[in-house]
Amino acid sequence: MRIIKFISLSLFFAGLLYGGFYVYQELVGKKDADGLQLISADAIFVLETQKGDEFWQNLTSQPFWFNLQEIPSISAADAQVSAFSSLLEGFQSFPDLLRGKKMTVSLHPVGKDDFDLLFTLHLKKANEKDFLNYLEANLPELSQINERMYSGVTIKEFQSLNLDRNFSFTWVGDVLVGSFTSFLVEEAIRHSQNNSLSSFKMVYKPLFQTKVDHDGLGILRISSHGFARLIEGLSKNQSQPLDQLFSKNILMGNYAIDFEEGEIVLIGKTLFPDTSVIPEVSSEKFEVDQFVSNRVASWVSFNLNTVTNLNFFENQGFVEKNTVKGDIEKKLFENGFMDQLEGQLLLLNFEKVGNNPLDKVLLVKTKEQAKQIDLLKSFNPALGQSNPSLGSVDFFEGKEIFVLAVEEFPGHLFGGKYLGFPDTYVTSLDGFLVFANSSKALKLFLNDFSSTNVSRQVYYRNPEQVIQYYLDIPLSWSTLIDISAPSWTPFFQKYTKNLQSFQSLNISFQDFSSNQFNTTIRLGHQAAVAKSEVRQDVFLTETKSLTLPATLIYGPKRILNFNDKSPEFVIQDENYTMYLVTKDMEQVFSKNLEGPIVSEIYQVDYLKNGKLQMIFATNNQIHIVDRLGNYLAGFPVRPVQEPITHLNLVDYNNDRDYRYFIGTSEGNLWLLDRVGKPLDGWNPKEISAEPVVPPAHRRIAGVGDRMIALSKRGELYFFNRRGEPEVGSPFRLGDALHADYAIIERGNAKDTRLVTVTSGGEVVQVNFNGELTYRNQLEKEDRDTRFMLVKDQKEDRYLIATHSYNRVTFYDESYQLLFYKEVVSEQIELQLFIFGGDKSLIGLLDKEQEFLYLYNLQGDLLNAMPISAAEKMELVYAGSQNEYLIYTISGNKLAEYRLPF
């Protein structure tokens, strides 16, 4: 019995203590409720501040804020705060209400692809809380406040015809909690009543144990899991590599936020709580600007002491293939491959073009470049084959390119950090191994590296920093549109101009200690500048010119001076006199020819001594002359008895054992050796009609050699080097062809495509297996409409254009309308120049009036008055001077113009 009494008393007092504790929690404890404890763990981010007044005033005074006003949710928020401030005027000012009060703003998922904010505000003094009573007594017209109960707590809902949604709010102790999503307010109440629920502060304790040294307007706290939820909601593909990177790995950060001129700046700590590796900065600076061209939309660099330091962060979301990993360990790791790598790595993501996959290039610093290349070749047995034409090896810009047909090779090599490489194309450059996810990407990179198309404004602060990430937001916009969820795509498209007030994102990781990096994040912005249809201030005038004795009929064609790498120009007059002219308009030589030049001007190192000669064709002969106008021994030659219409240069293995690929008016193809004699199998090869454009040789690593010809009767021919037709060749594309073609180069014969447009207006694509992969009929304005495919100067990107009598219409690579221009002319020629980003222009030549008009890709006229031109222009991109140099012929004059950009 005593035991029973003891147990009963114990239960009574336990119940009394529990009840007292419950009453205390509900009646007293809640007075000191922490707004951070009310925020659920699923928050994308939490912004904590006691300077809410300064934060709001700084935010709304930034240039980008005015650009965002066209977005309904932003303009509504601004209007609501203004209305709220007006209502408060009889009580206190809005800044006074926020000043010195602890406030949080957190973003939460409220649906599969929807998010909303939760606000908390600590108001301990009774008179501070009276503002709600004041507001309720002074509600604006067409507004009301309703009440409902949730879990014993009164929730009030503000309704107004001026609001699309109701605003819910309640008190939790001294904390005012509010949101436009009532569910978030209810969730805050649940967290106040149930300590077992996971709050943001509980789950991410390290964030609240880490001190932020910088004094800002507030602290932004974010976790990788929260960021992954944001990506999931915005993306159409839930298995995005970026999503997997953040959802499967633990990162978090605290950053003091501030506003500087042209930038939102966050300075703080980024935590890697699971790492046991201490990344150390390299003693060498990593100057990345030499590799970053205008077409690079984003890049990330690592400047580590050793490549093994890269293991401070392992991508747990990457699933290795055991067979690939085993081969890498056996053929590379056991042979010391990683020992020869240094800790400087640079990943370049190019601007996305149309529906094509995103091009990527990865550079890795190495101590033994040649040895590393040999190891990589030995990894792929196909590279041991003696015949490179079988498809494993290609040559470009003097570099050998080979392919590793291994899915995600860099990902397996570096712990899942570099993904998006279905195949890997490899070369070497200045002490770096270069990996690309397509042969096209690698060739573009090499071309940019060797040209002046390299940006000098890379926007990084310090080459000694451990990690740097840079994102050009306008250049990355097409990628954002491509991966965005259907519910978000219209929003991003509609408000592109407004959202692109944010120009760049730069993240720098400095010294590392205690599992955290000192971090600086800069979000660059600028006010939108209205662009007029015509740049009235740009009247292009001649800056240099050369007058010759007779009317010019050919050129200018740019070549390279092999002595000083400067541009020079080939022209020809009506008397068939050929001239070479320097960029300073000085004549190098003149030479009489027997007829008009009918081909491009190609440069060859015929004598293999580093000096370049010029090869070209007239109707009857092939000519090779040196820079002083002297013929090489054995030239000119007359290889065939038919009029030559086209000439192309072929150098299979980059060994200067040249071949000359010619087409004739009779519809015959000839392949000639380096002295101009027909080769077996090509004497001649008949096609159905005269070629539309020069027959060409294409070798693509992973595909092999193709000899390509397109006839005016609408047939596409694929031959091998011996002149034997590939299976299915010729391919009937249409009844007639008069347009050029472009090669969309990817990693294999199935994905690499040739695209052209027929005379009837059908866009057709054929892959290198000979399969028709796409056919689409474009709009035909009248029966005389002419269809053109216009390639850029690198033969990488293209536009489709239609020409009726009085209109030229341009379509992008997705065949969406870009713009149209009224042009009353029956003879026009078009050119396209793309140097990345907004450094692009279209040349429209009216041959009847000899006027040249320049447009950007938005259709804005760049020169207020047309330039005089009889033939297509030659354009030199002068990035260091921020201008284009334009060269044209008109009458008997060669002229230079300068167009700023």
Side-chain angles (χ1 to χ4, degrees):
M1 181 67 68
R2 181 177 297 176
I3 293 175
I4 294 174
K5 287 182 178 180
F6 178 80
I7 293 174
S8 299
L9 288 171
S10 298
L11 290 173
F12 171 79
F13 284 112
L16 185 64
L17 288 171
Y18 176 80
F21 176 75
Y22 179 81
V23 170
Y24 172 81
Q25 284 289 91
E26 291 300 308
L27 300 182
V28 181
K30 295 301 181 187
K31 293 291 182 182
D32 296 322
D34 182 359
L36 291 169
Q37 298 286 9
L38 308 179
I39 300 172
S40 63
D42 68 356
I44 311 297
F45 67 77
V46 176
L47 173 63
E48 182 182 352
T49 180
Q50 292 192 17
K51 301 177 181 178
D53 55 331
E54 293 182 51
F55 185 91
W56 179 255
Q57 289 172 351
N58 274 272
L59 175 66
T60 55
S61 63
Q62 299 300 314
F64 67 80
W65 186 257
F66 300 100
N67 294 323
L68 298 180
Q69 291 296 299
E70 294 180 24
I71 301 175
S73 57
I74 301 295
S75 59
D78 195 40
Q80 290 157 20
V81 171
S82 297
F84 178 70
S85 299
S86 298
L87 288 173
L88 271 179
E89 286 179 357
F91 183 80
Q92 67 178 134
S93 69
F94 180 61
D96 287 341
L97 177 66
L98 299 181
R99 186 173 296 118
K101 314 298 190 304
K102 185 176 180 180
M103 177 182 176
T104 68
V105 180
S106 52
L107 181 67
H108 300 259
V110 294
K112 181 180 178 181
D113 53 7
D114 198 10
F115 307 89
D116 207 351
L117 297 169
L118 176 72
F119 305 90
T120 73
L121 181 65
H122 288 241
L123 297 170
K124 292 187 176 182
K125 298 179 181 179
N127 64 327
E128 293 175 341
K129 302 176 184 180
D130 288 342
F131 82 93
L132 283 179
N133 297 327
Y134 178 85
L135 289 177
E136 289 184 39
N138 295 274
L139 286 178
E141 295 182 2
L142 305 177
S143 302
Q144 64 181 18
I145 292 181
N146 298 323
E147 295 184 0
R148 63 183 179 88
M149 298 296 293
Y150 178 81
S151 192
V153 178
T154 300
I155 296 178
K156 296 186 178 185
E157 293 184 346
F158 175 73
Q159 296 179 336
S160 173
L161 292 181
N162 295 322
L163 291 178
D164 294 332
R165 296 182 297 165
N166 299 337
F167 185 78
S168 300
F169 60 94
T170 190
W171 288 103
V172 177
D174 289 326
V175 179
L176 178 63
V177 182
S179 175
F180 282 99
T181 297
S182 60
F183 166 79
L184 295 180
V185 177
E186 295 170 0
E187 192 169 46
I189 294 171
R190 288 197 298 273
H191 276 79
S192 72
Q193 296 177 347
N194 188 344
N195 292 329
S196 65
L197 293 178
S198 296
S199 67
F200 186 87
K201 187 174 184 179
M202 181 187 304
V203 171
Y204 302 107
K205 283 183 180 178
L207 285 178
F208 298 90
Q209 297 168 350
T210 303
K211 183 181 178 182
V212 178
D213 299 326
H214 188 73
D215 183 27
L217 296 175
I219 302 296
L220 182 71
R221 307 184 194 273
I222 190 168
S223 75
S224 57
H225 291 177
F227 194 66
R229 281 189 288 271
L230 179 64
I231 297 172
E232 287 176 12
L234 297 178
S235 305
K236 63 182 177 184
N237 183 357
Q238 298 303 306
S239 59
Q240 288 283 346
L242 193 62
D243 170 34
Q244 296 296 308
L245 174 68
F246 286 107
S247 64
K248 303 293 185 181
N249 303 279
I250 301 177
L251 293 82
M252 56 188 78
N254 280 337
Y255 312 105
I257 186 169
D258 218 331
F259 297 94
E260 295 181 5
E261 184 176 357
E263 291 181 323
I264 302 174
V265 182
L266 295 94
I267 299 177
K269 311 280 188 181
T270 302
L271 287 67
F272 293 77
D274 290 344
T275 189
S276 58
V277 177
I278 300 176
E280 299 177 350
V281 67
S282 170
S283 58
E284 298 181 8
K285 295 181 179 180
F286 190 11
E287 303 282 359
V288 304
D289 58 337
Q290 59 181 318
F291 302 114
V292 181
S293 72
N294 296 328
R295 73 181 76 252
V296 174
S298 65
W299 54 267
V300 58
S301 67
F302 289 83
N303 188 29
L304 300 164
N305 190 34
T306 66
V307 73
T308 55
N309 280 180
L310 201 63
N311 296 329
F312 81 93
F313 176 64
E314 295 289 341
N315 183 6
Q316 303 300 325
F318 176 61
V319 180
E320 294 179 338
K321 288 188 175 181
N322 293 332
T323 53
V324 175
K325 187 64 176 177
D327 285 344
I328 287 176
E329 289 180 353
K330 181 178 180 180
K331 298 178 181 180
L332 297 180
F333 291 177
E334 291 179 9
N335 288 294
F337 182 82
M338 299 301 285
D339 297 336
Q340 301 302 320
L341 298 182
E342 300 186 32
Q344 293 184 338
L345 301 93
L346 175 65
L347 177 68
L348 308 174
N349 296 305
F350 286 8
E351 178 183 13
K352 193 174 187 303
V353 178
N355 296 321
N356 298 318
L358 185 66
D359 289 322
K360 297 170 177 282
V361 171
L362 171 66
L363 292 95
V364 184
K365 188 75 177 290
T366 177
K367 303 172 187 174
E368 298 285 346
Q369 180 175 294
K371 181 179 179 180
Q372 298 295 75
I373 288 292
D374 289 341
L375 281 174
L376 289 170
K377 285 184 176 180
S378 68
F379 183 80
N380 186 355
L383 295 173
Q385 301 175 102
S386 59
N387 187 357
S389 69
L390 295 178
S392 298
V393 177
D394 191 11
F395 297 93
F396 185 79
E397 295 280 345
K399 299 292 182 182
E400 182 185 56
I401 298 172
F402 59 91
V403 59
L404 300 178
V406 178
E407 186 176 0
E408 302 295 3
F409 177 78
H412 285 87
L413 203 61
F414 299 112
K417 296 177 188 65
Y418 302 105
L419 303 180
F421 290 74
D423 292 323
T424 301
Y425 296 80
V426 185
T427 193
S428 57
L429 178 71
D430 289 359
F432 285 84
L433 300 177
V434 185
F435 302 123
N437 68 341
S438 73
S439 54
K440 181 195 76 170
L442 191 48
K443 291 176 181 179
L444 285 174
F445 168 76
L446 292 173
N447 189 282
D448 283 348
F449 181 80
S450 63
S451 73
T452 58
N453 183 29
V454 177
S455 171
R456 299 303 173 190
Q457 294 178 316
V458 188
Y459 302 106
Y460 69 104
R461 296 301 192 265
N462 186 348
E464 297 178 349
Q465 292 173 4
V466 182
I467 306 171
Q468 297 219 47
Y469 173 77
Y470 178 78
L471 174 72
D472 185 303
I473 293 174
L475 276 185
S476 303
W477 201 253
S478 57
T479 302
L480 173 64
I481 297 294
D482 183 62
I483 66 173
S484 61
S487 58
W488 281 96
T489 300
F491 173 80
F492 291 132
Q493 290 175 331
K494 183 175 181 180
Y495 298 108
T496 294
K497 173 185 171 183
N498 310 90
L499 296 171
Q500 285 186 5
S501 296
F502 298 102
Q503 295 284 298
S504 62
L505 175 65
N506 185 69
I507 306 176
S508 301
F509 296 91
Q510 297 95 33
D511 39 272
F512 183 90
S513 63
S514 303
N515 286 30
Q516 59 191 18
F517 275 110
N518 288 327
T519 306
T520 302
I521 302 173
R522 296 178 180 271
L523 182 60
H525 59 82
Q526 66 178 22
V529 178
K531 295 183 179 180
S532 61
E533 178 67 14
V534 179
R535 290 172 56 177
Q536 299 287 352
D537 58 327
V538 179
F539 291 86
L540 299 187
T541 57
E542 295 177 9
T543 51
K544 298 175 185 176
S545 66
L546 175 66
T547 301
L548 295 159
T551 300
L552 297 172
I553 62 170
Y554 176 88
K557 299 294 183 180
R558 178 172 51 146
I559 66 167
L560 184 70
N561 182 322
F562 61 84
N563 291 314
D564 61 9
K565 309 303 180 184
S566 63
E568 296 181 327
F569 304 94
V570 175
I571 53 179
Q572 187 184 33
D573 67 20
E574 60 186 351
N575 298 321
Y576 307 145
T577 302
M578 169 187 175
Y579 301 87
L580 180 64
V581 180
T582 70
K583 66 180 179 63
D584 296 320
M585 297 297 166
E586 297 175 350
Q587 181 180 312
V588 180
F589 70 79
S590 65
K591 188 174 190 65
N592 293 327
L593 304 177
E594 95 291 352
I597 299 174
V598 298
S599 73
E600 293 293 324
I601 307 293
Y602 302 96
Q603 289 186 276
V604 294
D605 183 3
Y606 193 87
L607 302 177
K608 301 184 180 182
N609 61 3
K611 297 181 179 180
L612 300 180
Q613 299 83 39
M614 291 169 276
I615 179 171
F616 55 91
T618 54
N619 286 132
N620 299 312
Q621 295 180 321
I622 294 177
H623 309 254
I624 301 183
V625 299
D626 65 19
R627 187 175 175 274
L628 299 179
N630 302 311
Y631 277 116
L632 266 62
F635 288 90
V637 296
R638 182 169 186 174
V640 298
Q641 300 305 308
E642 304 169 12
I644 298 171
T645 57
H646 298 88
L647 165 72
N648 215 330
L649 181 68
V650 177
D651 184 5
Y652 290 126
N653 300 321
N654 197 42
D655 57 3
R656 293 168 289 185
D657 188 12
Y658 300 111
R659 301 288 186 265
Y660 317 126
F661 203 0
I662 63 174
T664 70
S665 61
E666 303 299 319
N668 290 320
L669 304 178
W670 305 74
L671 190 63
L672 314 175
D673 66 14
R674 73 192 310 266
V675 297
K677 293 182 179 180
L679 293 169
D680 291 340
W682 293 96
N683 52 350
K685 184 62 62 177
E686 296 182 8
I687 60 175
S688 60
E690 177 185 332
V692 179
V693 290
H697 163 258
R698 291 298 293 256
R699 176 184 290 167
I700 300 173
V703 174
D705 285 318
R706 295 288 190 276
M707 313 299 283
I708 304 171
L710 204 60
S711 86
K712 290 185 177 181
R713 288 189 180 176
E715 291 182 327
L716 168 66
Y717 294 81
F718 284 160
F719 300 100
N720 63 22
R721 282 166 54 170
R722 296 182 297 276
E724 300 164 343
E726 298 289 341
V727 176
S729 177
F731 309 100
R732 188 71 175 172
L733 304 184
D735 293 333
L737 280 170
H738 292 92
D740 203 344
Y741 65 83
I743 301 292
I744 302 172
E745 190 173 325
R746 297 311 304 171
N748 52 54
K750 181 180 179 181
D751 294 331
T752 297
R753 293 158 288 150
L754 180 148
V755 56
T756 188
V757 57
T758 70
S759 297
E762 275 194 306
V763 177
V764 290
Q765 293 185 11
V766 178
N767 68 20
F768 272 46
N769 283 334
E771 299 166 333
L772 184 66
T773 61
Y774 181 87
R775 188 183 290 273
N776 179 49
Q777 178 66 50
L778 297 175
E779 181 181 354
K780 191 170 185 178
E781 295 184 12
D782 56 57
R783 66 179 183 178
D784 296 324
T785 298
R786 177 186 171 204
F787 296 88
M788 294 168 281
L789 183 143
V790 188
K791 294 188 292 190
D792 74 349
Q793 78 283 3
K794 296 182 184 297
E795 299 190 355
D796 167 52
R797 294 179 59 178
Y798 66 91
L799 302 177
I800 298 290
T802 65
H803 176 215
S804 57
Y805 176 71
N806 62 349
R807 175 178 290 190
V808 180
T809 306
F810 295 90
Y811 300 88
D812 65 16
E813 290 165 284
S814 301
Y815 317 118
Q816 302 298 310
L817 176 66
L818 285 175
F819 63 91
Y820 64 84
K821 293 296 174 183
E822 303 297 334
V823 179
V824 182
S825 175
E826 292 187 0
Q827 296 184 56
I828 68 159
E829 292 190 3
L830 302 172
Q831 291 174 275
L832 174 65
F833 296 89
I834 295 180
F835 301 98
D838 60 353
K839 308 298 188 298
S840 306
L841 60 79
I842 294 170
L844 190 158
L845 175 63
D846 178 350
K847 296 206 71 173
E848 290 184 352
Q849 300 186 72
E850 297 193 358
F851 284 160
L852 175 63
Y853 301 90
L854 306 175
Y855 300 96
N856 62 22
L857 295 186
Q858 289 73 47
D860 301 320
L861 187 62
L862 302 180
N863 52 326
M865 294 292 290
I867 299 172
S868 294
E871 299 293 330
K872 290 182 178 179
M873 66 177 160
E874 191 66 71
L875 183 142
V876 175
Y877 174 84
S880 58
Q881 286 83 40
N882 291 322
E883 63 185 5
Y884 304 107
L885 305 180
I886 297 166
Y887 298 86
T888 67
I889 58 171
S890 179
N892 61 344
K893 186 165 59 176
L894 168 67
E896 176 196 81
Y897 300 85
R898 294 174 180 260
L899 175 67
F901 56 77

